[in-house]
Amino acid sequence: QSFRENIYNLLEAFKLFSESGSVIHGNNIAKLISILGENKTIRTHSNDVLEIGQTLESVEEQRKQMLETIKVLLISPLEELLRTDNQTIESLKQDSENYKKEYDQAKLKYDVARTTKG
């Protein structure tokens, strides 16, 4: 590919990454930069460009691992908590509604008894 095509592909990859922030799009940027260095598309400092691309690939791999760890350690337990606690919440809500009905009935009896005495 020509220099122009490579830069265009890199620009498109940056646009996609800026919109999504996804690991896949981040990896795509890293790979494109690595290719620019490997192919000597950027003639000046091509080794530096290659190192930048490889570093970005490493960062994206670590980011992917971090997101997987977050899912296992945080998101999955929270989903389970929401799933199981939802039943408890519904039960407590029903109890609360029943107590409110009992209170309203007792208050009504009290109000009736108080007004009939006077």
Side-chain angles (χ1 to χ4, degrees):
Q1 288 184 336
S2 71
F3 177 78
R4 184 179 187 81
E5 290 169 328
N6 283 318
I7 297 302
Y8 177 79
N9 290 339
L10 186 59
L11 177 62
E12 289 302 310
F14 272 114
K15 285 179 184 177
L16 287 172
F17 180 71
S18 69
E19 292 169 0
S20 71
S22 77
V23 173
I24 293 170
H25 291 132
N27 276 329
N28 194 25
I29 290 172
K31 287 177 185 172
L32 288 171
I33 291 173
S34 294
I35 289 169
L36 290 174
E38 288 170 357
N39 295 344
K40 309 263 190 242
T41 304
I42 296 178
R43 290 179 182 89
T44 308
H45 303 290
S46 61
N47 288 336
D48 295 335
V49 172
L50 176 59
E51 284 183 37
I52 290 169
Q54 290 171 340
T55 301
L56 286 174
E57 286 181 52
S58 175
V59 167
E60 287 302 319
E61 181 59 34
Q62 290 174 12
R63 183 174 145 207
K64 179 182 173 187
Q65 290 172 359
M66 181 191 68
L67 291 173
E68 289 170 359
T69 301
I70 287 172
K71 181 177 181 184
V72 169
L73 295 177
L74 183 65
I75 295 173
S76 295
L78 285 175
E79 288 174 339
E80 180 64 24
L81 178 70
L82 288 174
R83 205 172 16 259
T84 57
D85 276 5
N86 197 31
Q87 295 169 347
T88 304
I89 290 168
E90 288 301 317
S91 174
L92 290 172
K93 185 178 174 183
Q94 185 63 42
D95 290 347
S96 174
E97 289 171 2
N98 290 338
Y99 292 140
K100 182 175 180 344
K101 286 178 187 175
E102 287 178 28
Y103 170 79
D104 289 343
Q105 290 171 353
K107 186 173 182 303
L108 181 61
K109 286 180 185 177
Y110 171 77
D111 288 344
V112 168
R114 191 180 66 182
T115 56
T116 57
K117 284 186 179 181

